Amino acid sequence: MFPSSHCTICNHKLGPLELIPVFSFLFQGGKCKNCKAKISWYYTIFELLTGILFLLSYLRFGFTYTCFLSLSLSSILIIIIISDYKYYIIPDELIIAGIILIGISKFLIGGGALSNFAWIEALKSLLISLANGMYSFLLMYAVKLFGDFLFKKESMGGGDIKLMFLIGMTLGFPLSIITIFVASIIGLPIAIMLLKLKSTHEIPFGPFLSIATLVLFFINCNWKDILMLLA
């Protein structure tokens, strides 16, 4: 939000027509309108992906509180994927924003229909969600401590641990732990490819956690069903 969208080369502030997702990139030939510098395909790819996830959210959940949860989760995780992949950082501001948005969503979902809103159930839903987030956070922190001891160096970034709080709030505690295994399965072939393309041996885990979270969220499986499938 701050500063507003601009060209990273000439600092030209983007106008309304330059902010149309995907189409503005095509209309401008993939170049800045002011300085003609090339615009990265990252913007267009993730704009398109965000649009697809938003559409999928509505088709999957309809015009409901769960759809609001889905839109919030998709928005936060898309930014985390980009940030962690490019800069190896998961900003605390994103985690805090995610906790607030997911918390509001869980509160509304627990309360039920607007015409007959159950405040006690809404508060209970929020507290359970926060507890699941804390359980997931603590377990991920324990995994980090074990990894640090095993490899004699930092095995996991703090951002991944904080991200697990958000994942636990959304999916619940048992399913959030399964997310780690699904992320590892998704990430292994991609990590091998990145190790060949990049000079560094550091592979961010946040993008894989985010992708696994989105997959499990949209298929909406029970954690017992996932375990049976893996078995």
Side-chain angles (χ1 to χ4, degrees), residues 106-107 110 118-130:
K106 289 291 186 176
F107 181 82
W119 293 95
I120 300 299
E121 291 300 318
L123 184 59
K124 180 181 177 181
S125 175
L126 173 60
L127 293 177
I128 291 174
S129 176
L130 291 171

Side-chain angles (χ1 to χ4, degrees), residues 21-131:
V22 181
F23 291 104
S24 60
F25 179 89
L26 299 175
F27 293 153
Q28 294 167 208
K31 296 180 181 179
C32 171
K33 185 179 178 181
N34 184 58
C35 69
K36 306 303 178 184
K38 287 187 177 181
I39 300 173
S40 173
W41 275 92
Y42 273 113
Y43 296 101
T44 304
I45 291 171
F46 283 101
E47 284 171 354
L48 183 61
L49 180 58
T50 302
I52 292 172
L53 288 175
F54 274 35
L55 178 61
L56 183 60
S57 297
Y58 176 74
L59 294 176
R60 182 71 177 82
F61 304 109
F63 192 65
T64 61
Y65 292 138
T66 305
C67 182
F68 174 72
L69 169 62
S70 183
L71 296 177
S72 302
L73 180 69
S74 299
S75 300
I76 294 295
L77 293 185
I78 284 292
I79 302 173
I80 287 176
I81 289 172
I82 300 170
S83 178
D84 202 24
Y85 175 73
K86 290 197 70 175
Y87 309 110
Y88 298 91
I89 294 173
I90 300 178
D92 290 340
E93 293 87 348
L94 280 176
I95 301 298
I96 294 171
I99 290 172
I100 293 172
L101 290 171
I102 300 303
I104 292 173
S105 302
K106 289 291 186 176
F107 181 82
L108 294 174
I109 293 170
L114 188 62
S115 58
N116 191 25
F117 198 80
W119 293 95
I120 300 299
E121 291 300 318
L123 184 59
K124 180 181 177 181
S125 175
L126 173 60
L127 293 177
I128 291 174
S129 176
L130 291 171

